[in-house]
Amino acid sequence: MPNLRATLAWLFSLRGRVTAARFLGVGLLLLALKVGLDAALCRALGLPPWSPLLYVTPLPWPLLRADVGWKWALFALPSLAFCWIGVAMSFRRLRDAGWSDWLLLAFFAPYANLCLFAVLAALPSRAAAAAPAGASAAGESLPRWLPAALAAAVTVGFSWLSFGLLADYGGILFFGLPMMQGLIVGMTTRNRHWTESLGQLALSLVYEALLLLTLALEGLLCIAMTVPPWFLCGLLGVCVGRAITPLQRGRAWVGLLAVPLLQCLEPAVAPPATVFEARTEVVVQAAPERVWQSLVTFDRLPPPTELLFRLGIAYPTHATITGRGPGAVRHCSFTTGDFVEPIEVWDEPRLLRFAVTQCPPPMQEWNPFHGPEEVHAAHLHGYFQARQGQFELTPQPDGTTRLVGTTWYSHGLRPEPYWRLWSDLMVHAIHRRVLDHIRREAER
């Protein structure tokens, strides 16, 4: 057992150096073990057959999107350990060869990592022989960018487990993971100044955003929405990580393994999505009868000027209706598709109420590296659900009409109060665009 512990400690350690021969031998042994383990897991869990060629495939999306549910979580967990061993071995081999530790970033790039492995297996040892006596401690210091990169890589992996495999946007994703990210930064920068920890946390958020964008997992607007709670929770994690003593650090690293278990449990205990109400009103300088003619259907609206719509939020373009009275079907066309709205109440010219039986995606993700159709964000499909809507017209004593548009909807994201701030902002912007158009048409 002591020998096993010493071997595992050596495999996972970032201290010391690794020669080319040992790097090659251990690398080939771990590669064979990884291939065998992945193949056995696929067979045991009923996953699609595993091929070693998938190791050099940048994004095997057809396989990742297979209908295998939570099983991929069990499959992915051992890969985290192998990934860290690969990072540690490559980093110590670069140190032994006297090369810059910045080259370690190639480890995370498809195809470039294969070139890195081949070069590291052939490079002679130089740093140990060239270093003067007493300089080993400085030479073995960790790279300054490593805490941020490590925290970002682990966080993106666990994030993908939440929304990529479990299709869940919950509290663990938006509160637990940023705290974990800050905890990793805090523990790995404990002996440095506070400003170094804060800088590493900010750098880690930048790395995380770049990974999410390059992997086509998210768009820029949605990433920006998560920054406030993510940074605050990450800051709390940094405080905890810096307070952890060296003796407690090992337990803390092991405790991180509980995160994927909590992610798998959260969807099972989460309550049903809350249905929210958003109301927007305008005063129209016209009688209700004239306003009614403009709200049941309306022609194509002019292009939007609002920044929110220009950033990708779906907006209405025109509306049509088939039939008249209760049972008629209204189609409100958005830039991402049609809302299908069967009429439930037709009280002309006072109230038009309708159900919503079909909802298009709420937005088009803007990603600098990929087109909207290439971004694989689960929240675009089935999370935002408009349940019901209505237009209410109330005549005023001065001859004007108070027009109120109401939408009942759910967004399926937790914590619900925070995400309601954004969803209400979007729904009110949509209401305002439609109501202002109706007002202009009625007053013309």
Side-chain angles (χ1 to χ4, degrees):
M1 185 63 69
N3 290 335
L4 177 60
R5 288 181 179 177
T7 301
L8 291 176
W10 180 82
L11 286 174
F12 285 89
S13 176
L14 289 169
R15 304 289 180 181
R17 295 178 172 84
V18 174
T19 63
R22 180 166 291 187
F23 177 82
L24 179 60
V26 173
L28 292 176
L29 179 62
L30 291 176
L31 176 61
L33 179 62
K34 184 70 166 65
V35 172
L37 178 62
D38 290 344
L41 279 173
C42 283
R43 192 178 302 111
L45 298 175
L47 300 177
W50 186 261
S51 168
L53 294 177
L54 292 174
Y55 293 127
V56 295
T57 302
L59 288 175
W61 287 114
L63 186 62
L64 299 181
R65 292 199 301 267
D67 187 17
V68 294
W70 58 269
K71 295 179 181 179
W72 272 115
L74 299 178
F75 180 85
L77 286 177
S79 299
L80 297 176
F82 280 93
C83 180
W84 178 250
I85 293 175
V87 169
M89 294 284 292
S90 299
F91 173 64
R92 288 182 288 167
R93 180 78 266 273
L94 284 169
R95 177 189 291 154
D96 182 66
W99 284 36
S100 172
D101 51 42
W102 281 96
L103 292 174
L104 187 60
L105 295 178
F107 180 90
F108 302 99
Y111 307 119
N113 51 17
L114 299 180
C115 298
L116 176 67
F117 298 155
V119 170
L120 292 181
L123 285 175
S125 299
R126 294 178 182 175
S136 59
E140 302 214 353
S141 61
L142 299 181
R144 300 186 70 85
W145 54 266
L146 184 60
L150 171 63
V154 173
T155 305
V156 169
F158 284 153
S159 298
W160 178 74
L161 172 62
S162 278
F163 55 70
L165 298 181
L166 302 174
D168 180 69
Y169 290 83
I172 300 297
L173 175 63
F174 295 113
F175 285 153
L177 293 191
M179 287 189 62
M180 179 197 71
Q181 188 172 4
L183 181 70
I184 294 174
V185 170
M187 288 193 297
T188 52
T189 60
R190 183 176 181 271
N191 297 325
R192 303 178 187 177
H193 194 268
W194 254 103
T195 55
E196 177 73 12
S197 296
L198 294 179
Q200 289 289 332
L201 176 62
L203 185 60
S204 180
L205 294 177
V206 174
Y207 285 160
E208 180 189 5
L210 289 175
L211 281 172
L212 292 172
L213 292 172
T214 54
L215 294 176
L217 296 175
E218 273 298 347
L220 196 58
L221 179 58
C222 288
I223 292 176
M225 292 178 186
T226 64
V227 167
W230 206 279
F231 184 80
L232 291 176
C233 293
L235 189 60
L236 178 60
V238 168
C239 296
V240 175
R242 289 180 63 90
I244 290 177
T245 65
L247 294 177
Q248 299 169 327
R249 203 172 299 171
R251 297 178 181 177
W253 285 109
V254 174
L256 294 180
L257 297 177
V259 173
L261 298 178
L262 294 176
Q263 288 176 280
C264 294
L265 289 174
E266 186 180 14
V269 299
T274 304
V275 178
F276 300 109
E277 177 185 297
R279 294 167 54 90
T280 310
E281 68 176 66
V282 296
V283 175
V284 185
Q285 303 292 328
E289 292 78 9
R290 189 179 183 92
V291 178
W292 181 273
Q293 297 173 12
S294 302
L295 67 82
V296 176
T297 64
F298 50 83
D299 296 330
R300 188 167 294 274
L301 278 66
T305 58
E306 296 87 348
L307 178 62
L308 200 62
F309 296 139
R310 292 184 174 184
L311 292 176
I313 300 299
Y315 56 86
T317 58
H318 60 282
T320 60
I321 192 168
T322 304
R324 184 176 178 84
V329 179
R330 188 172 181 266
H331 289 258
C332 191
S333 298
F334 276 61
T335 50
T336 55
D338 287 359
F339 281 86
V340 179
E341 304 166 347
I343 303 300
E344 295 181 330
V345 177
W346 183 293
D347 184 10
E348 183 176 356
R350 295 179 179 83
L351 179 65
L352 180 71
R353 180 178 297 160
F354 46 85
V356 181
T357 58
Q358 177 179 305
C359 297
M363 64 184 302
Q364 289 181 322
E365 291 282 13
W366 188 85
N367 188 309
F369 309 114
H370 304 276
E373 68 283 351
E374 298 175 313
V375 178
H376 308 282
H379 64 82
L380 299 180
H381 310 286
Y383 282 82
F384 180 87
Q385 292 289 329
R387 311 287 181 170
Q388 193 178 46
Q390 72 175 27
F391 293 104
E392 184 178 8
L393 295 81
T394 305
Q396 303 298 299
D398 58 357
T400 62
T401 300
R402 183 168 67 95
L403 173 60
V404 180
T406 307
T407 298
W408 289 270
Y409 73 93
S410 60
H411 56 60
L413 308 177
R414 300 182 303 274
E416 288 185 330
Y418 175 77
W419 288 107
R420 186 185 180 184
L421 298 176
W422 293 103
S423 58
D424 272 0
L425 177 67
M426 298 173 191
V427 174
H428 283 303
I430 294 170
H431 282 179
R432 181 66 61 182
R433 175 172 167 80
V434 173
L435 296 182
D436 283 347
H437 178 75
I438 294 173
R439 176 180 54 80
R440 288 191 299 267
E441 291 296 309
E443 293 177 353
R444 182 173 298 174

